[in-house]
Amino acid sequence: MATSAGLPGFNTPAVGFEQPFAMLEACHERVERTLTLLQRLRAYVREQAADEAARQAARDVLRYFDIAAPLHHQDEELHVFPLLLAQGAPSVVAVVQQLQHDHVCMAADWAAARGALQALAEGAAAGFGPEDEARLDQFAQRYQQHIQAEEGTAYPCAQALLAQGDLHAMGLEMAARRRVG
């Protein structure tokens, strides 16, 4: 079982915080790669075993969705959504309200799904039961739909409203939350 480093495209060029929307989209690429790793892990455990490679892959998925994904959501909640709620067209405001609701639901989906991964990572489980599979499916499906709405509507609309100085400040704040110099 290859870990996330073995996924195609994992070593994409780095994007810096001086381009905050490119950084947000790069985060989406990492979400998609991590969801792919999760799918591969699930298939591997069904076909092979819950060996050390599977446990490491589970730890990689846990680490991403426990640490990086919440920071990404915070970036959107602080820098993208308020602007669109204040200045966006009514159709954009409706999309943003759905995206905000998605963040709440995705956090709940993750809380429900992560226990099975944690058990696998710790060697306390040999695989995923039907309920675990359903929770993991729900989490992945919601995330994929969410990304489409952000990249298709929210990000382009927010970029059109932000001045260069605002983009710079946004990037600095995003970096500071991650303690990146």
Side-chain angles (χ1 to χ4, degrees):
M1 171 86 230
T3 62
S4 56
L7 290 174
F10 191 79
N11 296 316
T12 55
V15 175
F17 287 102
E18 67 280 354
Q19 299 174 31
F21 283 94
M23 179 62 78
L24 291 171
E25 289 179 1
C27 288
H28 284 170
E29 290 174 18
R30 286 188 287 278
V31 166
E32 290 168 340
R33 285 194 303 271
T34 305
L35 290 173
T36 297
L37 175 61
L38 177 59
Q39 283 302 109
R40 290 176 55 196
L41 168 63
R42 292 166 65 188
Y44 182 86
V45 170
R46 278 192 299 273
E47 297 166 10
Q48 304 288 327
D51 58 14
E52 182 52 34
R55 288 188 292 278
Q56 183 57 53
R59 288 189 288 272
D60 290 346
V61 172
L62 285 162
R63 184 173 35 261
Y64 187 81
F65 287 113
D66 283 347
I67 299 169
L71 287 170
H72 172 78
H73 293 178
Q74 188 177 22
D75 293 335
E76 294 166 341
E77 296 282 346
L78 292 173
H79 301 289
V80 179
F81 298 168
L83 174 68
L84 294 174
L85 291 171
Q87 298 180 34
S91 61
V92 174
V93 169
V95 169
V96 171
Q97 289 169 335
Q98 180 59 51
L99 293 171
Q100 289 176 311
H101 179 70
D102 286 350
H103 281 179
V104 172
C105 292
M106 287 163 32
D109 290 347
W110 179 241
R114 79 175 303 286
L117 279 164
Q118 186 72 41
L120 182 72
E122 294 172 352
F128 303 110
E131 288 182 13
D132 301 326
E133 294 280 358
R135 287 184 189 111
L136 292 168
D137 284 340
Q138 180 174 327
F139 176 72
Q141 288 167 2
R142 190 182 316 265
Y143 232 122
Q144 289 164 340
Q145 293 167 349
H146 182 83
I147 287 171
Q148 290 173 358
E150 285 179 340
E151 291 186 1
T153 301
Y155 291 1
C157 291
Q159 283 179 286
L161 294 171
L162 284 168
Q164 189 61 39
D166 295 330
L167 285 171
H168 180 72
M170 177 180 169
L172 290 174
E173 288 178 28
M174 288 169 61
R177 259 190 297 289
R178 291 161 179 82
R179 295 187 181 112
V180 175

